[in-house]
Amino acid sequence: MPDAPIVLKSRTQVCRNAVFTVFLDHIGDAAGNEVTDYLSVVPRHRTADKVSGVAVLPVQEDRFGLIRIFRHPLGIHCWEVVRGFVDPAESLTAAALRELREETGLVAAAASLRDLGVVAPEPGVLDARVRLFAAEGCARAGDPSGNEIGHREVRFFSRKQLIELMDGGEIVDPCTLVC
């Protein structure tokens, strides 16, 4: 049986900031099912295949780098891969290398980036995808240059330590879990 189409009947913009536009959509299907206030969050910039961000897992000698970050909506600190948005006219590779440098102070050669695929972090709400990378052979180039709220530290973990962090609920971000 083919999938029944879901149609957008109307869309109301709720708010907008520098990165996202938030809508309440009225959607329905052929069977008469409707949702009148379906929340849709749409990045203001994304590629043709809806990639709006990158996530980078730094790798040094079989150890994996994560940043400690406070996530306001959850009210907790978590360990996560480096993540950020792709700027207009910026390639995904350039965005990955820039975010790596800004958030960790680490650098890597473009040729050392391994493409790990794409993930939709919250496909029920967020109309976007994130391209995942591993950055092998990272080197320290200085201190992180970004002054982002909630970022605390960069630390490298063994595979066993990563599993312990996952089991302990300290890694909850889908991009980090997939990487």
Side-chain angles (χ1 to χ4, degrees):
M1 178 163 122
D3 291 333
I6 306 293
V7 291
L8 177 64
K9 296 181 174 221
S10 66
R11 171 169 268 190
T12 303
Q13 182 177 316
V14 177
C15 67
R16 180 180 183 154
N17 67 14
V19 180
F20 296 105
T21 304
V22 179
F23 298 97
L24 290 179
D25 292 341
H26 179 179
I27 60 174
D29 66 15
N33 299 307
E34 293 189 15
V35 177
T36 57
D37 55 359
Y38 194 99
L39 180 66
S40 294
V41 179
V42 181
R44 293 181 62 189
H45 170 72
R46 56 194 173 158
T47 64
D49 57 351
K50 297 191 177 187
V51 172
S52 63
V54 293
V56 185
L57 177 65
V59 180
Q60 288 180 334
E61 300 173 9
D62 207 30
R63 295 180 65 81
F64 307 92
L66 300 178
I67 59 173
R68 183 100 169 130
I69 185 165
F70 181 76
R71 289 300 181 197
H72 170 70
L74 296 176
I76 61 173
H77 282 88
C78 305
W79 288 102
E80 297 183 3
V81 293
V82 171
R83 288 191 301 158
F85 293 101
V86 179
D87 292 336
E90 183 179 40
S91 73
L92 298 178
T93 298
L97 295 172
R98 176 183 50 77
E99 289 293 340
L100 181 66
R101 172 68 176 94
E102 287 177 0
E103 294 191 7
T104 67
L106 297 170
V107 294
S112 75
L113 286 181
R114 186 174 359 144
D115 189 334
L116 301 177
V118 175
V119 65
E122 184 51 62
V125 175
L126 185 59
D127 187 12
R129 297 176 182 180
V130 177
R131 175 67 63 180
L132 309 175
F133 294 96
E136 299 172 328
C138 295
R140 171 83 40 211
D143 292 328
S145 61
N147 186 20
E148 297 191 40
I149 190 166
H151 286 63
R152 291 291 173 251
E153 65 181 295
V154 178
R155 192 182 304 168
F156 281 80
F157 298 95
S158 68
R159 291 175 193 270
K160 180 182 178 203
Q161 289 171 315
L162 286 179
I163 292 169
E164 290 169 355
L165 290 170
M166 286 184 261
D167 289 345
E170 293 187 70
I171 297 176
V172 296
D173 163 62
C175 293
T176 306
L177 291 168
V178 171
C179 282

